[in-house]
Amino acid sequence: MTLRNLILSALMVGVISGLCYGLFQQLQVNPLIYAAEVYEVAEPAAATASDGHSHDHGEAWGPEDGMPRMAFTLGSNITIAFALALIMISLMALHNQKSLKPKLNALSGAAWGIVAMFCFFVAPAMLGLHPEVPGTNAAELESRQIWWLFCALASALGIAVVYYGSVLLKAVGGLIVAAPHLIGAPLPTEHGFANTDPVAVQALTELTSQFYMMTAIGMLILFIIMGVLSGLSLKKFVHNGA
Amino acid sequence: MQNIQSSVATQTPSLAVSDTKQILAALALGLVLVLFVGFAPMEVIHNAAHDARHAFAFPCH
């Protein structure tokens, strides 16, 4: 029954927190994305050919602007929130099962939420790759994705070692958290935007700083809701037996 | 009746033993799902989840 309870709990947490974040995104983040897309320049054929995608079959399907696009975005928000909640609740269940530290509740859940925000957002995005509005110059996608995943994983693992490990191990944990940043995020050789028109650059720079702030606020809302609900649902629905 | 009771009694410990495995299965499912929605390179998935990927600050484009 554990698996079923974990999945159902994560579903509940994911739908609620994903809906909240989806609503926030619709109101505060999407306007910035749409505004940035106005300045997007059509990629030259040579660039599209070399970016690893095959465009031989023409433009792939995408949801149409307006309602369909909002619906797919909301659906994706909920799916990502569900997946993150599943990871969080599973790790919390492991904590309750294996650790001698106090069992999780709503308050410690909120703390887990803040740690999760650090692992999934602050470390890989704020301190590393930076949140991007469409049309931002960036290093090759694949290397950024690998670094992002490496950073999130190292942050989570490192914090776990610091929290659960002995005094000696705690230093090692700190080193694991720092490792991705010591290696350094793959950043573009020249900062800026694909569109080099001064008016566009100024607009995109402004949009980017608003985008930073809004994603950060949104992520804080999402992860605190997720942490609190995860802690609660674990207490209620997932038994703490060994 | 007795049969049912005894089978329940023998099953309970085996469920408890596999608890950790079930938790790890849930963890794996969550990881795969994040990779799929947030990182899969397929154009169609990218387009559908595009705005959400940006809003979670996942690397996009």
Side-chain angles (χ1 to χ4, degrees):
Chain A
M1 299 308 262
T2 306
L3 184 58
R4 196 196 66 167
N5 288 358
L6 288 171
I7 291 175
L8 288 179
S9 298
L11 201 59
M12 182 199 74
V13 175
V15 167
I16 296 174
S17 59
L19 267 178
C20 290
Y21 187 62
L23 192 68
F24 180 86
Q25 179 182 354
Q26 221 64 259
L27 296 174
Q28 300 293 349
V29 180
N30 280 353
L32 303 174
I33 294 179
Y34 299 158
E37 276 178 353
V38 173
Y39 299 102
E40 255 184 328
V41 283
E43 291 173 48
T48 11
S50 65
D51 72 0
H53 297 297
S54 152
H55 285 265
D56 292 339
H57 51 280
E59 255 323 272
W61 170 92
E64 281 178 44
D65 280 349
M67 278 311 277
R69 183 168 172 180
M70 285 187 213
F72 271 96
T73 302
L74 193 60
S76 309
N77 280 330
I78 291 175
T79 315
I80 295 173
F82 164 61
L84 293 179
L86 198 52
I87 294 171
M88 185 186 277
I89 291 177
S90 305
L91 293 175
M92 283 178 165
L94 273 183
H95 165 96
N96 272 5
Q97 194 189 37
K98 305 277 185 207
S99 162
L100 297 173
K101 292 185 189 283
K103 306 271 185 250
L104 267 306
N105 56 31
L107 192 66
S108 46
W112 274 57
I114 290 171
V115 172
M117 178 176 169
F118 177 82
C119 298
F120 283 109
F121 182 72
V122 176
M126 280 293 176
L127 303 177
L129 293 164
H130 311 308
E132 299 156 9
V133 294
T136 309
N137 282 341
E140 202 195 338
L141 177 63
E142 209 169 289
S143 60
R144 281 181 295 138
Q145 286 188 324
I146 290 170
W147 188 87
W148 193 103
L149 292 168
F150 167 59
C151 182
L153 213 64
S155 306
L157 183 72
I159 290 174
V161 170
V162 169
Y163 184 55
Y164 297 109
S166 59
V167 179
L168 196 68
L169 275 175
K170 287 187 197 303
V172 180
L175 207 63
I176 298 175
V177 174
H181 305 284
L182 296 177
I183 293 169
L187 293 171
T189 39
E190 52 182 295
H191 284 274
F193 306 97
N195 193 335
T196 47
D197 179 54
V199 179
V201 169
Q202 211 210 329
L204 285 168
T205 309
E206 260 169 50
L207 285 171
T208 300
S209 63
Q210 286 174 40
F211 190 74
Y212 267 49
M213 186 151 85
M214 284 308 162
T215 46
I217 294 172
M219 285 287 125
L220 191 66
I221 295 172
L222 172 91
F223 278 111
I224 287 185
I225 294 175
M226 188 182 282
V228 168
L229 290 180
S230 296
L232 275 179
S233 68
L234 202 75
K235 208 173 162 186
K236 273 194 161 8
F237 305 123
V238 182
H239 75 93
N240 299 324
Chain B
M1 261 331 249
Q2 248 178 345
N3 268 346
I4 294 169
Q5 272 177 349
S6 69
S7 80
V8 167
T10 48
Q11 268 180 11
T12 314
S14 76
L15 268 180
V17 169
S18 65
D19 246 15
T20 308
K21 280 181 190 163
Q22 294 187 43
I23 294 172
L24 292 178
L27 182 63
L29 182 65
L31 289 172
V32 168
L33 205 55
V34 168
L35 288 180
F36 186 75
V37 184
F39 292 86
M42 279 93 92
E43 198 88 344
V44 172
I45 302 171
H46 165 270
N47 290 348
H50 174 266
D51 295 354
R53 285 184 180 192
H54 269 287
F56 276 84
F58 290 156
C60 202
H61 299 287

